[in-house]
Structure formats: C-alpha cells, structure tokens
Amino acid sequence: MSGIKGDNMGYVYVIPSVVEYAEKFKELGSLDFKIIRAMYRYGVRNISQIAKLIGVPQQTVSYRVKRFDERDLVRFRALISEEKLGLKSYLVVASTSLGMEELSSYSMTCFPLWRYLAIVDGWKHGNYVRYIIPPDKETDLKAFLDKLKDTGLILRYELYETTSPYYPLLNLDFYTGREGAPVFNWDKWIDDFDSFSEEKISEPSFAKAKFDLYDLIILRCLEINARMKFREVAREIAKILREENYGRFIPLVSRRFKNIVSQNLIRGYRVVVFPNLGPTVLFLIYYLKFTSASNLGRFLGGLSYLPYNFSYLKVLGKNEIFLHLVIPVYEYLNLRKAISRLGELGYLKSAYVLIGDLSQAWDNVKIYEMYKDGAWNFSYGVVLKMLKEALARRNVNLEI
C-alpha cells in the first residue's frame, strides 16, 4: 500500500512497496518488535529516550535501529497533519468501464493534491482515490469529477468527506516464537468485542499552521522516510529547486524541522513491515457502517489485536469507516464470517467490499507541487488545464 506511481502512470517510483518487506520480516525478533513499538509511539529520532522507556541499553537500541536503516528492514514514514496545512480529506469511489481503469486513474490524479489511488473491483469496479483540497473548494472538486463523467473517463462517482487515514501498528506479538503460518482466532475476537476499549476519533479542525514551500518539501522527505538524515533532506531540496549547492540548506532543514515539530505538523508515524509474502495475500477495502458510535469505537479498539497490516479513515459525521486490510488468502473465509457475525450481533449495519491489487495501489507525496505564492493553487480552472495537458501527453483526443 505504499509507493508512488511507476513510470507507466507518469510518476517516478520513489517509495518501495510494502510487499518488499516480506522477506525482511524474518530477520526481526522480539526485541526488534519492542523497539519498533516504542519508536511508533514515542518518535523515531530520540534513541536515548526509547532506550530508557523500554529498559534496554542505548548501545543495543542504537545498533538495532542502525540495522533497521542500513538493511531497510523497517521503514518509518511520517504522517503529516493535512488539516494544519489547510487541507481537507475527500474520498472518491469512481466506477469505470472495463478497459478504462488505467486511463481514468491517470485522469483522476492529473493534479498533485491526490494522496492515494487504488484500482479496485467488487462493490465498485474502477478507482478509489483520496484527495486533499482546501475546505472551501469542494464545489471545484465536484465540477472536475463531473467533467470526467461527462467525457466518459468515469461512469459515476461517490464522494465522502473523511478524516486523514490512521495507520495503527499491527500486533507484532502474534509472530513471536511461532512457526509456520499462524491463524488468527476471529471467533475469540468477536467474543471479546464488548470488552474492547472504545477508540475515539475527533473531527478535524482547520487551524492552519505557518509553513512555506521549504517546509512542504521537508515533509515530503519525511513521508518517504521519517529517519532520513538532514543532509539527505537538504540534497532533496536542492534537487527539487535545481540548486547546485545543497550544503547551504542543511542549517535550514535543522531549523525548519524544529518548527515542524513544534506546530505538530507531524501527527504520528506509520511503520512499514510486512509479515506475509505478496502473492499469498488479499488486499481488501471495506466500507463499514456501524449501528452506533460505541460499536464503531469498540471495533477500532479491537483492531489493535490484528496481526495484519491495516489502516482506516472515518467518514465525517457518520458511524462509518473505510478499512484497508491486507490478509493471508487462507484468512479470507474466517474474516467474512467475522464480519457477518458483527451484523448478526447488531454491531454492524452493512459491509461493502472492494478488492484491490497491491501492485496497483499508490501514495503521492508531491503535494508541494500544488503550492504557489503562499497558497494552494487549486481551482476547477487549474485542474481542468492540468487534465487537458495530461491527456495530451497520452495523445488522447477528448472534448474537454
């Protein structure tokens, strides 16, 4: 579920795919899991604090973390506060004609304020795209989507206002000391449902922070790798701005990082680990509607027990979420039964499933390209121009 679109979609491949970490997972042990959990919770740079918190010598923790970095066993990625950037999250599920999936996804992401794209089947056949745009620009986004529909690039669409995604850490203890392919006990998980603590999700507030293009490029680097050295971040700034002397940006990165942290522009981290081989998993997106806020909260609390990669977004103002889940193929029937039981017991109203392919799911961290003269350069006119240019690059002749 991580990665920037490959050359076939017109973007440079930067972030390694999550499935590339499947073989590396075998090199991690119980102490590594302990360190990973602490870094996820307390931050990825203060190793001395991590060592004190988990009661392990700093030298040991430093060695393990250095090994994470050098062998790329674990990737820590910063989660930016989109609200503090003055941007609101919108999820679009768009149906497309057979054979039009790639062109329609290319068209839907022709401007850099998209954050996630997956080509999906199931409840809908087409594209699943998350955008972040200024809160007062929803009409412009709808006009753009209507234009895609009018030209046949998509057939229809549904638009949801959501939170930014949450990426809880999977239950790593599940894999400690186990041999073979362990199976999760879904029946016990359902039986324990009423005992799960309720996870609360607050509605986003748009108290905009102070930032500029430099900050956005730094955040872009930390989204790719939250442990990227400041020297390397400075290189990326120089590369993007086409400056030869990257050294002059090193002090700037150090200062700006402190400002980024003080304004809470980083709201947490996601951990890229992958316990199952890519060909043996299913990538599912569930649209779940719960019977009450309490049942939704308990479901979210119960997710912390799952030993598989997952993330979720809440639909604003409703007891509904979109749940991304990667599970071994052999777990699918048990998961289906668990979802059905939630309905039978009155916790869940309905469940709609989308089936994706991890090789056709991408992240975008290049939102800085849409920031111009101190403001987000988003409007219907701007994105329509970008759409025309994108289609021209593909030699696609449509009346736009």
Side-chain angles (χ1 to χ4, degrees):
M1 290 183 289
S2 62
I4 293 181
K5 289 200 256 186
D7 290 337
N8 64 314
M9 299 291 286
Y11 287 82
V12 178
Y13 185 81
V14 176
I15 304 173
S17 168
V18 67
V19 297
E20 295 179 20
Y21 291 81
E23 289 292 340
K24 298 176 182 182
F25 189 81
K26 299 174 185 177
E27 300 185 41
L28 300 173
S30 57
L31 178 56
D32 296 313
F33 294 158
K34 195 172 185 178
I35 294 170
I36 290 168
R37 282 194 295 268
M39 294 176 73
Y40 170 80
R41 184 173 180 181
Y42 299 109
V44 301
R45 290 185 178 267
N46 195 337
I47 301 305
S48 61
Q49 182 191 27
I50 295 296
K52 290 178 183 178
L53 288 167
I54 65 177
V56 175
Q58 182 176 337
Q59 185 177 5
T60 302
V61 176
S62 296
Y63 169 78
R64 296 279 179 148
V65 174
K66 184 178 179 181
R67 180 169 163 265
F68 293 165
D69 293 341
E70 291 179 348
R71 294 181 56 78
D72 199 21
L73 298 179
V74 182
R75 179 69 65 96
F76 295 90
R77 297 181 57 190
L79 298 174
I80 65 173
S81 176
E82 296 167 347
E83 295 85 1
K84 287 186 176 293
L85 296 179
L87 298 170
K88 187 174 181 180
S89 176
Y90 290 87
L91 185 62
V92 176
V93 184
S95 300
T96 63
S97 301
L98 284 172
M100 285 287 290
E101 304 88 351
E102 196 266 352
L103 180 59
S104 63
S105 63
Y106 177 77
S107 301
M108 291 183 74
T109 57
C110 65
F111 61 96
L113 284 184
W114 65 277
R115 295 289 278 162
Y116 185 79
L117 163 66
I119 296 176
V120 294
D121 290 299
W123 164 47
K124 305 285 185 183
H125 172 81
N127 299 306
Y128 176 94
V129 185
R130 189 173 76 88
Y131 299 99
I132 49 173
I133 62 171
D136 60 343
K137 294 291 187 176
E138 182 178 333
T139 301
D140 295 75
L141 178 60
K142 288 180 177 178
F144 168 70
L145 295 169
D146 286 338
K147 174 60 71 173
L148 296 181
K149 188 172 67 171
D150 292 343
T151 56
L153 288 165
I154 62 176
L155 298 177
R156 62 193 67 85
Y157 69 88
E158 295 179 22
L159 180 69
Y160 305 85
E161 300 176 41
T162 72
T163 62
S164 297
Y166 293 82
Y167 292 90
L169 183 62
L170 70 161
N171 180 9
L172 293 169
D173 290 336
F174 184 78
Y175 299 97
T176 302
R178 292 176 182 263
E179 299 293 334
V183 179
F184 185 69
N185 192 337
W186 293 97
D187 288 334
K188 184 178 186 306
W189 190 76
I190 296 295
D191 292 340
D192 292 344
F193 191 88
D194 284 330
S195 67
F196 294 153
S197 60
E198 291 187 30
E199 185 76 23
K200 302 293 185 183
I201 302 179
S202 57
E203 297 283 304
S205 73
F206 298 94
K208 192 174 178 181
K210 294 181 180 180
F211 62 90
D212 61 15
L213 183 61
Y214 290 122
D215 298 309
L216 292 175
I217 297 175
I218 293 169
L219 287 170
R220 174 259 190 193
C221 293
L222 300 179
E223 279 198 278
I224 295 172
N225 182 356
R227 286 188 48 77
M228 186 180 290
K229 293 179 171 59
F230 290 166
R231 180 176 296 273
E232 294 304 312
V233 175
R235 286 184 188 273
E236 288 298 311
I237 293 176
K239 181 180 177 181
I240 290 169
L241 299 181
R242 299 181 180 178
E243 297 271 356
E244 291 186 6
N245 180 18
Y246 78 90
R248 73 184 188 89
F249 293 114
I250 296 175
L252 177 143
V253 173
S254 181
R255 292 195 309 271
R256 293 303 184 92
F257 179 76
K258 293 176 182 177
N259 180 59
I260 284 169
V261 172
S262 68
Q263 293 194 93
N264 295 315
L265 277 165
I266 296 176
R267 61 183 178 88
Y269 299 92
R270 60 185 289 193
V271 182
V272 182
V273 290
F274 198 70
N276 305 103
L277 294 175
T280 69
V281 298
L282 286 174
F283 170 38
L284 307 172
I285 301 174
Y286 273 100
Y287 175 31
L288 301 174
K289 299 182 179 183
F290 292 85
T291 54
S292 70
S294 293
N295 289 331
L296 168 58
R298 278 193 287 272
F299 180 86
L300 297 179
L303 289 176
S304 63
Y305 296 97
L306 296 188
Y308 308 118
N309 287 286
F310 67 93
S311 62
Y312 61 85
L313 309 90
K314 182 181 181 296
V315 179
L316 299 188
K318 298 182 179 180
N319 299 319
E320 302 172 5
I321 63 167
F322 283 87
L323 173 68
H324 298 197
L325 184 61
V326 180
I327 60 169
V329 172
Y330 59 78
E331 288 279 34
Y332 181 57
L333 290 180
N334 291 329
L335 171 63
R336 281 189 61 196
K337 291 177 183 176
I339 295 293
S340 295
R341 279 197 65 195
L342 287 174
E344 292 170 5
L345 295 170
Y347 300 123
L348 192 61
K349 282 183 181 179
S350 59
Y352 303 90
V353 66
L354 296 167
I355 303 170
D357 180 344
L358 287 176
S359 68
Q360 293 184 308
W362 304 274
D363 290 330
N364 172 45
V365 296
K366 301 172 75 173
I367 62 172
Y368 66 86
E369 293 182 349
M370 207 77 176
Y371 194 75
K372 185 178 181 181
D373 298 328
W376 294 107
N377 186 32
F378 178 85
S379 69
Y380 174 65
V382 167
V383 297
L384 190 63
K385 180 182 178 182
M386 290 183 171
L387 175 62
K388 292 177 179 178
E389 292 172 349
L391 294 176
R393 287 193 295 270
R394 286 294 189 88
N395 296 315
V396 176
N397 296 315
L398 288 175
E399 189 66 34
I400 301 296

